[in-house]
Amino acid sequence: MKLLFLSSDRKIFDTESAVSSRMEKYASLVDTLTVMVFTKSSHEKKREIRGNLFLIPTNSKSRWSYIFDAISIGKKLSGIDLISAQDPFESGLTALYLARKLNAKLEIQIHTDFLSPYFSKESLLNRVRVSIARYTLPKADGVRVVSRRIVHSLQKKGTWTKRPPVVLPVYGDLSKYKNASRGEFLKEKYPQFDFHVLVASRLSPEKNLSAVFKDFAKAMEKFPKMGLIVVGDGEQKESLHGLAKKLGAKESIIFEGWINDLSPYFLSADLFVSASFYEGFGLSLLEAASSGCSILSTDVGIVGDILKPEHLFLSGFKEEEIYSTLLSALQEEERRISSQSFLREDVSSFLALDQEEYFQKFILNWKSLLEANTESSL
């Protein structure tokens, strides 16, 4: 089996990253795996060969030429059996063209809840992306989604696919959390705080971090020795630094940057906060749950799969609600000690994913796509 992946995740080139490890594992299960990554020439990457794993950057002049550059590179490939696109948007449109050109089967993956109303409200580009998805998804031989929430969104909006979407969650190595004791990492690193609130996400608009910052600063009036530890990087980095300064919370909001291993943070934080407008999955939520860290989250991604309904703390996204629920979490000592009381009884299905079984599900899914005699509508 020869696979072509289309992705926009540049961390694939970082051998220490989780996504790089996943690609190497996928490659070990097939004949060859070629991964084409949308990259800008300003962040120029070199082609890499790791055994039977081939990494190809587009090194495009701008994001607007990603599709054209990827098509130019991709149509020169041969012998590809299956093309898998990371999303139904730019990657999906590129993969659709290449599947026609190379006579390959097409799988489209959906990692975000793009049918959430907040996704379209975010930008004109996102509204265009929804239209692209409505064009590409019905033409795919198979669709993989990362959560049941996305399946429900597709069903609710009436977006149809040739075959029922296959739910395969994002794999997270949770072995570091299993049987691990709560630690003192953050308390030792930042002893000036007596309560450590953790945010671990991309610094991007859909994460709603400006609301978290504002309500954290407001809550500091009652809890002055509380610290907010922000792990991640992204387009809003500079504006969020500016907001922290403007709020007078520069010394209490700590930016850690991107960190590959978050286990010491989750195992020592008093509270994990996620106020995202939408999520397709939310691996950080799974890591927080498996570490026993208390969780304050909006009802997005897999929250409904891991937390009891009465503990979906935020039903909305307004700042005043984040503030009131943050205060509630700070004031309730029981939640500060353990999160186990609000985890769903069947959460083990998420916390105990076996790595080998997980990857075998991918192989079986790909084989079923190659063997299926679906009527082509490409």
Side-chain angles (χ1 to χ4, degrees):
M1 186 189 307
K2 295 184 178 181
L3 271 65
L4 170 62
F5 274 19
L6 297 180
S7 175
S8 59
D9 195 338
R10 287 88 175 172
K11 293 186 180 67
I12 289 173
F13 292 96
D14 178 3
T15 56
E16 300 297 319
S17 68
V19 65
S20 176
S21 297
R22 282 201 301 274
M23 291 302 110
E24 291 178 2
K25 181 62 178 178
Y26 292 145
S28 71
L29 299 172
V30 298
D31 296 320
T32 63
L33 172 59
T34 301
V35 184
M36 194 185 307
V37 186
F38 293 160
T39 62
K40 290 183 180 179
S41 55
S42 57
H43 306 108
E44 187 169 349
K45 304 289 184 181
K46 294 182 179 180
R47 292 194 181 199
E48 293 184 27
I49 300 176
R50 306 176 193 167
N52 66 333
L53 173 61
F54 301 86
L55 304 181
I56 304 176
T58 60
N59 288 328
S60 305
K61 291 183 178 180
S62 74
R63 65 183 303 168
W64 307 112
S65 61
Y66 284 157
I67 294 176
F68 304 103
D69 293 332
I71 287 175
S72 177
I73 296 170
K75 66 183 182 182
K76 298 175 185 177
L77 301 175
S78 61
I80 300 296
D81 300 305
L82 174 66
I83 301 176
S84 182
Q86 184 190 31
D87 60 63
F89 318 127
E90 292 95 319
S91 294
L93 200 57
T94 306
L96 176 58
Y97 178 90
L98 291 176
R100 289 171 171 169
K101 191 73 175 178
L102 303 176
N103 194 30
K105 294 283 185 156
L106 172 63
E107 176 192 56
I108 292 181
Q109 302 185 39
I110 306 178
H111 290 256
T112 192
D113 188 10
F114 74 94
L115 290 175
S116 162
Y118 293 96
F119 183 86
S120 292
K121 289 178 182 178
E122 191 173 288
S123 67
L124 174 60
L125 177 58
N126 278 0
R127 291 193 287 277
V128 172
R129 282 171 169 163
V130 172
S131 297
I132 293 173
R134 291 188 183 277
Y135 173 72
T136 60
L137 286 174
K139 300 180 185 302
D141 296 292
V143 175
R144 174 247 173 157
V145 301
V146 296
S147 67
R148 291 190 290 253
R149 183 182 298 274
I150 296 176
V151 175
H152 296 156
S153 291
L154 289 169
Q155 292 172 338
K156 183 177 179 181
K157 295 293 184 179
T159 300
W160 58 274
T161 56
K162 283 183 183 178
R163 308 168 71 186
V166 174
V167 181
L168 287 172
V170 175
Y171 178 77
D173 182 8
L174 303 178
S175 59
K176 63 192 74 174
Y177 301 109
K178 293 177 181 177
N179 302 317
S181 301
R182 298 289 296 167
E184 301 292 323
F185 174 77
L186 285 176
K187 293 175 178 61
E188 292 173 355
K189 189 171 184 178
Y190 301 109
Q192 69 270 35
F193 305 132
D194 60 12
F195 194 91
H196 298 78
V197 180
L198 176 65
V199 167
S201 76
R202 292 190 309 279
L203 308 186
S204 51
E206 76 274 12
K207 302 302 181 180
N208 199 21
L209 293 178
S210 59
V212 175
F213 279 30
K214 291 174 184 177
D215 288 305
F216 171 82
K218 189 176 179 181
M220 280 180 58
E221 297 174 7
K222 295 186 177 181
F223 295 89
K225 295 191 70 175
M226 176 176 61
L228 179 63
I229 316 302
V230 182
V231 179
D233 203 350
E235 62 198 86
Q236 287 193 314
K237 179 179 178 179
E238 295 303 321
S239 63
L240 288 172
H241 271 278
L243 178 60
K245 183 177 181 180
K246 181 180 179 181
L247 293 170
K250 184 179 178 181
E251 302 301 320
S252 297
I253 298 179
I254 309 296
F255 290 86
E256 292 278 85
W258 178 264
I259 294 174
N260 283 326
D261 183 9
L262 285 170
S263 57
Y265 291 83
F266 283 115
L267 288 167
S268 58
D270 294 294
L271 180 69
F272 172 71
V273 176
S274 173
S276 297
F277 289 120
Y278 58 88
E279 292 278 359
F281 186 73
L283 181 59
S284 57
L285 290 164
L286 185 55
E287 292 174 319
S290 60
S291 69
C293 182
S294 296
I295 299 171
L296 172 63
S297 177
T298 43
D299 185 7
V300 294
I302 59 168
V303 168
D305 293 314
I306 64 175
L307 300 185
K308 294 177 181 177
E310 63 269 28
H311 287 291
L312 294 177
F313 298 124
L314 299 174
S315 59
F317 308 93
K318 296 180 180 179
E319 291 177 12
E320 58 267 26
E321 184 181 4
I322 297 174
Y323 170 70
S324 63
T325 48
L326 177 59
L327 281 186
S328 177
L330 289 167
Q331 293 167 343
E332 293 187 29
E333 188 67 25
E334 182 179 348
R335 279 186 192 153
R336 294 176 61 170
I337 297 173
S338 172
S339 67
Q340 300 305 311
S341 62
F342 57 76
L343 292 180
R344 289 173 59 100
E345 287 76 8
D346 58 353
V347 74
S348 59
S349 63
F350 277 88
L351 302 185
L353 285 174
D354 178 81
Q355 187 182 55
E356 291 304 318
E357 291 179 352
Y358 174 84
F359 286 105
Q360 283 303 316
K361 286 182 179 180
F362 268 87
I363 289 295
L364 291 174
N365 182 49
W366 291 333
K367 285 182 177 179
S368 71
L369 290 181
L370 293 178
E371 295 168 359
N373 293 318
T374 54
E375 181 181 349
S376 176
S377 61
L378 294 177

